[in-house]
């Protein structure tokens, strides 16, 4: 419900923004000393979360003393709403981190600058980036963002728990059956039947769909696919981990416990490089990573990333592009892996990631997954609105209140009618 209200607010603000012309660039501009100031908006819950990104920005300013960069920080949950609000108030930041589900809609509404001419004029080559990188920032044949980083989800596991239980460490190319067998052996209950250690934290239903060769929508959003057999099977499998096999926690069991994996209450979890620093410095156990287990489609996982766009209101498009190029193709790519735990989006910077100070022993499984097993997810203007309808149904399936083979066909028909899809 909260996401639905947020989306309604964003839609209303975007409508208002479209009525405005001659927008200014807020505090961005030319300073008395001749330098130019631009602003970049990024998500985070305070200065500590963006400290690594601030170091990268500072390096850019050292190399470009004629440019000053201000960082605007907003929480992840409302950064897109804040961006639209600032746009409607003639105060749009020059650059902005974009959540994937909003990129196509923002592009269609004219909030983002078309980057095609910059890309061609600067002699950029699509081949410099990892597969799928350019597609993640594109909509309807035009480029609106470039990815600062690309990554896919992996499974992190507590080596100490595996050792104590006598369970072999998982290996790349493992399957759902291998995963469930290990999770059962790693789940511990006390004399009263209460779970004191889970085999796995909550399993991502989005990842399970990809692993099983399913999908919610076609790539362009023209077709609804969530009632396909593979999608139905994937969501029921995830629900059964909690309600049938009891190897993953219910919502009530995980309430108030924070990160179950970091707290030593779960043997496995979904993770990314952004977690590795905490696992290295805060965890009281040894950890490693492995690619996700394979369903019917193999060890597939979502191709994730951080697209950065230039706002359509910017007064300094050339300066904004210079920062965007630094972050997504230039020097920023060379230093971000070690500072912020992010996988670079350009191929030449991959070695920096592998040599990162927090990289686990099996870090090479990440580039293996990136090159062989990632899936580019659908992108279309009404995606965020459609997802508002999906999550409540998924929650009911996860709680065991609905069967996937009953709930998903009903939901699929509802979405087809509402959004005029096939």
């Amino acid at each position: 419900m909260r996401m639905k209200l947020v989306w309604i607010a964003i839609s209303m603000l975007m409508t208002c923004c479209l009525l405005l012309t001659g927008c200014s660039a807020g505090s961005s501009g030319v300073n008395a000393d001749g330098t130019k100031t631009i602003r970049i908006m990024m998500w985070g819950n305070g200065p500590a979360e963006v400290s690594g990104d601030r170091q990268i920005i500072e390096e850019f300013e050292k190399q470009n003393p004629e440019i000053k960069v201000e960082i605007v920080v907003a929480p992840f949950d409302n950064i897109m709403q804040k961006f639209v609000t600032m746009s409607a108030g003639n105060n749009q930041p020059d650059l902005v981190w974009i959540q994937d589900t909003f990129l196509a809609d923002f592009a269609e509404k004219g909030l983002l600058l078309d980057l095609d001419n910059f890309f061609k004029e600067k002699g950029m080559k699509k081949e410099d980036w990892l597969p799928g990188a350019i597609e993640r920032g594109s909509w309807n044949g035009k480029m609106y963002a470039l990815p600062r980083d690309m990554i896919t989800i992996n499974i992190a596991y507590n080596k100490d728990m595996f050792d104590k239980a006598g369970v072999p460490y998982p290996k790349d190319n493992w399957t759902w059956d291998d995963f469930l067998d290990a999770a059962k052996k790693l789940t511990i209950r006390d004399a009263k039947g209460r779970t004191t250690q889970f085999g796995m934290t909550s399993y991502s239903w989005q990842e399970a769909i990809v692993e099983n060769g399913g999908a919610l929508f076609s790539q362009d959003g023209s077709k609804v696919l969530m009632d396909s057999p593979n999608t139905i099977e994937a969501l029921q499998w995830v629900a059964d981990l909690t309600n049938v096999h009891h190897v993953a926690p219910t919502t009530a069991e995980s309430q108030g416990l924070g990160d179950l994996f970091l707290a030593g209450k779960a043997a496995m979890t979904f993770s990314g490089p952004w977690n590795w620093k905490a696992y290295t410095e805060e965890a009281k156990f040894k950890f490693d990573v492995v690619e996700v287990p394979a369903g019917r489609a193999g060890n597939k996982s979502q191709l994730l990333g951080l697209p950065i766009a230039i706002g359509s209101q910017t007064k300094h498009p050339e300066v904004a592009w210079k920062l965007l190029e630094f972050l997504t193709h230039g020097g920023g790519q060379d230093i971000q892996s070690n500072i912020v735990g992010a996988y670079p989006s350009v191929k030449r910077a991959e070695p920096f990631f592998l040599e990162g100070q927090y990289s686990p022993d099996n870090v090479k499984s990440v580039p293996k997954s990136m090159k062989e097993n990632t899936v580019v997810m659908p992108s279309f203007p009404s995606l965020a609105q459609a997802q508002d309808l999906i999550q409540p149904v998924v929650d009911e399936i996860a709680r065991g209140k609905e069967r996937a083979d009953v709930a998903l066909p009903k939901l699929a028909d509802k979405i087809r009618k509402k959004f005029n899809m096939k």
Side-chain angles (χ1 to χ4, degrees):
M1 177 59 72
R2 182 178 183 277
M3 275 302 298
K4 184 175 182 179
L5 292 174
V6 167
W7 176 252
I8 291 172
I10 288 178
S11 298
M12 292 175 65
L13 286 166
M14 282 197 290
T15 301
C16 293
C17 188
L18 290 172
L19 299 176
L20 297 171
T21 57
C23 298
S24 68
S27 64
S28 305
V30 180
N31 304 314
D33 60 0
T35 60
K36 292 180 179 179
T37 297
I38 57 175
R39 293 178 299 162
I40 181 170
M41 176 181 279
M42 57 183 67
W43 54 72
N45 294 311
E49 285 198 17
V50 298
S51 60
D53 299 286
R54 194 175 299 277
Q55 291 180 51
I56 296 174
I57 294 296
E58 289 173 353
E59 179 60 31
F60 172 78
E61 290 178 323
K62 287 180 183 178
Q63 296 183 22
N64 300 274
E66 75 284 4
I67 302 173
K68 304 297 181 185
V69 182
E70 292 182 4
I71 297 177
V72 180
V73 181
F76 181 86
D77 288 346
N78 66 10
I79 185 171
M80 295 294 86
Q81 182 177 3
K82 184 172 181 178
F83 173 69
V84 174
T85 301
M86 294 177 71
S87 300
N90 306 333
N91 191 29
Q92 191 186 70
D94 299 274
L95 298 96
V96 59
W97 289 7
I98 296 288
Q99 293 173 11
D100 295 332
T101 52
F102 291 95
L103 189 142
D105 201 69
F106 285 2
E108 190 174 73
K109 294 296 194 300
L111 299 184
L112 309 179
L113 192 68
D114 180 349
L115 303 178
D116 281 348
N117 287 338
F118 277 114
F119 197 83
K120 295 173 183 176
E121 290 173 2
K122 303 300 180 181
M124 311 291 275
K125 298 179 180 178
K126 180 179 178 180
E127 293 73 23
D128 290 349
W129 278 268
L130 295 174
I134 299 301
E135 288 78 2
R136 288 191 62 79
S138 301
W139 163 246
N140 203 22
K142 292 182 178 296
M143 184 186 304
Y144 292 97
L146 285 174
R148 188 204 67 167
D149 55 70
M150 302 295 295
I151 197 58
T152 190
I153 295 294
N154 52 60
I155 295 284
Y157 62 94
N158 184 320
K159 298 175 74 172
D160 295 353
M161 286 184 179
F162 273 75
D163 290 341
K164 187 175 181 179
V167 178
Y169 298 150
K171 297 180 180 180
D172 292 337
N173 300 317
W174 63 328
T175 66
W176 275 7
D177 288 341
D178 298 329
F179 166 84
L180 182 55
D181 181 62
K184 288 179 177 179
K185 293 175 180 177
L186 290 158
T187 299
I188 299 175
R189 297 178 180 85
D190 63 18
K192 295 182 178 180
R194 295 172 300 193
T195 305
T196 57
Q197 176 181 300
F198 291 96
M200 176 69 181
T201 59
S202 298
Y203 204 98
S204 167
W205 59 271
Q206 296 97 328
E207 289 295 327
I209 289 174
V210 173
E211 294 161 11
N212 210 42
L216 296 176
F217 303 98
S218 61
Q219 196 65 34
D220 62 358
S222 62
K223 296 180 181 179
V224 178
L225 304 175
M226 65 188 66
D227 52 354
S228 66
N230 287 9
T231 302
I232 290 172
E233 182 181 45
L235 262 71
Q236 193 60 57
W237 182 81
V238 171
D240 289 350
L241 292 177
T242 297
N243 303 312
V244 177
H245 306 295
H246 307 293
V247 298
T250 63
T251 302
E253 287 173 323
S254 60
Q255 196 75 31
L257 295 179
D259 188 330
L260 290 175
F261 182 74
L262 189 58
K265 299 293 184 181
M268 295 180 283
T269 190
F270 281 104
S271 78
W274 52 89
N275 299 119
W276 297 350
K277 183 176 187 292
Y279 295 166
T280 300
E281 297 182 342
E282 301 175 31
K284 297 179 180 179
F285 55 82
K286 296 179 181 178
F287 84 98
D288 207 347
V289 298
V290 65
E291 65 184 5
V292 296
R296 294 184 182 277
N299 305 94
K300 299 297 182 180
S301 55
Q302 298 180 86
L303 181 62
L304 307 174
L306 199 167
I308 302 179
I310 296 177
S312 58
Q313 297 176 12
T314 182
K315 294 296 184 181
H316 302 293
E318 290 282 350
V319 177
W321 170 264
K322 195 167 189 177
L323 175 57
L324 180 63
E325 192 279 333
F326 178 83
L327 296 175
T328 63
H329 186 263
Q333 287 285 297
D334 298 337
I335 59 179
Q336 71 176 20
S337 299
N338 197 41
I339 291 179
V340 299
Y343 197 87
S345 59
V346 293
K347 297 175 182 177
R348 62 167 177 77
E350 286 182 289
F352 293 95
F353 175 83
L354 298 176
E355 298 167 2
Q357 59 182 312
Y358 304 113
S359 297
D361 292 341
N362 193 34
V363 65
K364 290 185 178 180
S365 69
V366 178
K368 176 179 181 293
S369 297
M370 294 288 292
K371 294 172 183 176
E372 299 176 10
N373 285 320
T374 53
V375 177
V376 177
M377 303 308 291
S379 177
F380 52 93
S382 57
L383 177 57
Q385 298 175 69
Q387 287 187 332
D388 286 339
L389 301 178
I390 295 170
Q391 189 61 56
V393 176
V394 171
D395 290 342
E396 289 295 288
I397 295 171
R399 286 195 289 265
K401 302 296 184 180
E402 290 271 10
R403 290 282 306 176
D405 57 358
V406 175
L408 290 180
K410 292 179 181 178
L411 176 62
D413 287 341
K414 180 179 180 180
I415 290 178
R416 288 187 181 105
K417 292 177 182 178
K418 182 175 179 61
F419 297 102
N420 194 28
M421 296 179 180
K422 295 180 181 179

